[in-house]
Amino acid sequence: MHPDLALRTLGGAVVSATDESFAAKENLIVPGPPVFDPTTFGHRGKVYDGWETRRRRTPGHDEAVVRLGAPGVVRRVVVDTTWFTGNYPPEGAVDGSADGSTWFGLVPLSPLKGDSENAFDVRSDKRVTHVRLRIVPDGGVARLRVHGEALPDPALLDVLGTVDLAAIENGGHVRDVSNRFYSSPHNLLLPGPARSMGEGWETARRRDAGNDWVELGLGTEGRIAVAEIDTSYFLYNAPGSAVLRGRSGEGAWQDLLDTPLQPDTRHRFVLADRPAVSEVRLDIHPDGGLSRVRLWGSPTEAGRESLRTRWEAAQ
């Protein structure tokens, strides 16, 4: 379950495009699925929730460059042409770059289907800061999703000291989850506060005796000093309580926190003398929603060395 490293809410940006005559390039990286209203027309024609270029009358192709919100190793790309039926590009390719100027292939020129989520696995282990979407010859793309493993600069973590070990930008990710009916659990790890209930993680209502949970892989092994569990905007559907456990590698799960929760509240819990962990499991009882989860702590020396090894291998 790799997060989308290009999301605008993660800090991604569309820095350039050859053409955006019909629809703005920035739509490529907004969260959520594209929407469509057949009655909306503007001065430039049909209004689309995506990026759409003019019809080319000369040889060539169109392209857009995206700076990732969290640089990392790309594992999967989705070129989403939803709602583009007679105006989608028949072919597309995606390139990567570590500096925004020198490019290498991530997805070769491939056929695209209209009104579809065109998914491509990526077999590159290089760290990427920018991606370039090339469409041949022209047309419209609703969304560009760049799923992968964020790989932060080890020098940055060394300077910062205490960091959010679970943040996507620091390499945190969702390993598994019991339920994602209303929204993605990756929302828990995004930067900044949630601005509405829709920007958190919410499960369906349980009708059994069980509970919901999410397992998170930390960016590096570390010792958690403060756990922040935020139920902001969840007024009538916050969990009643939460249990946090952690482990390192394949070791046994160890209890870190067991606490009741209040609705619409940013809870902060000091965790003293807790063991080093590389992943955590958060059980919520019985169900409901959370806005954010922050796990503030310091990487262990083993965690720093592992990150440095991965960083060097991805250059």
Side-chain angles (χ1 to χ4, degrees):
M1 299 178 65
H2 295 119
D4 181 0
L5 304 180
L7 270 182
R8 180 60 185 166
T9 47
L10 186 56
V14 187
V15 296
S16 68
T18 53
D19 185 274
E20 48 184 331
S21 296
F22 285 115
K25 62 185 186 298
E26 286 79 10
N27 290 329
L28 283 171
I29 60 172
V30 300
V35 296
F36 182 76
D37 182 347
T39 67
T40 55
F41 286 84
H43 292 294
R44 297 190 178 189
K46 181 72 190 73
V47 176
Y48 275 93
D49 182 12
W51 168 53
E52 186 183 6
T53 70
R54 72 183 72 197
R55 300 188 188 209
R56 296 190 68 88
R57 304 306 186 199
T58 57
H61 68 274
D62 286 314
E63 62 184 46
V65 174
V66 176
R67 185 188 68 236
L68 301 182
V73 178
V74 179
R75 298 303 186 193
R76 188 169 184 261
V77 170
V78 179
V79 181
D80 186 351
T81 59
T82 298
W83 303 117
F84 288 94
T85 55
N87 50 352
Y88 65 92
E91 294 181 299
V94 179
D95 307 310
S97 173
D99 58 9
S101 61
T102 303
W103 299 95
F104 55 88
L106 295 177
V107 177
L109 190 64
S110 306
L112 298 177
K113 295 180 180 180
D115 197 24
S116 302
E117 294 184 359
N118 299 273
F120 304 94
D121 291 332
V122 176
R123 291 174 173 81
S124 171
D125 291 324
K126 293 184 178 180
R127 183 177 185 267
V128 171
T129 63
H130 296 70
V131 296
R132 178 176 64 184
L133 170 64
R134 292 182 283 130
I135 57 173
V136 180
D138 55 37
V141 174
R143 299 286 189 268
L144 177 65
R145 302 304 189 200
V146 185
H147 299 282
E149 303 162 6
L151 186 56
D153 187 339
L156 181 62
L157 294 194
D158 287 342
V159 171
L160 292 175
T162 299
V163 297
D164 180 2
L165 298 169
I168 290 176
E169 59 191 351
N170 292 330
H173 56 281
V174 175
R175 294 176 60 90
D176 202 359
V177 68
S178 62
N179 186 283
R180 53 189 302 161
F181 186 85
Y182 287 109
S183 46
S184 170
H186 286 298
N187 290 346
L188 295 172
L189 313 182
L190 291 174
R195 295 170 297 180
S196 70
M197 190 173 69
E199 293 189 358
W201 166 57
E202 184 182 3
T203 72
R205 299 191 186 204
R206 296 194 71 95
R207 304 304 187 190
D208 57 24
N211 70 279
D212 286 312
W213 50 267
V214 59
E215 292 184 2
L216 307 176
L218 305 185
T220 66
E221 182 189 71
R223 297 184 185 277
I224 302 170
V226 175
E228 183 175 313
I229 303 176
D230 190 351
T231 61
S232 293
Y233 297 103
F234 289 92
L235 279 74
Y236 310 108
N237 49 357
S241 63
V243 175
L244 182 68
R245 298 182 178 89
R247 68 178 180 179
S248 187
E250 297 300 318
W253 291 101
Q254 301 186 58
D255 293 339
L256 301 177
L257 177 69
D258 188 342
T259 181
L261 296 177
Q262 299 297 319
D264 196 24
T265 301
R266 185 170 62 159
H267 307 77
R268 288 176 171 176
F269 306 98
V270 175
L271 306 183
D273 300 322
R274 295 304 194 268
V277 297
S278 60
E279 62 180 295
V280 299
R281 175 183 169 112
L282 179 64
D283 283 83
I284 58 173
H285 295 272
D287 55 27
L290 301 174
S291 295
R292 296 287 188 266
V293 171
R294 310 286 189 213
L295 300 175
W296 299 99
S298 301
T300 63
E301 187 51 45
R304 293 178 190 276
E305 184 59 33
S306 175
L307 178 58
R308 281 191 289 266
T309 299
R310 287 184 285 136
W311 169 270
E312 292 169 0
Q315 301 308 305

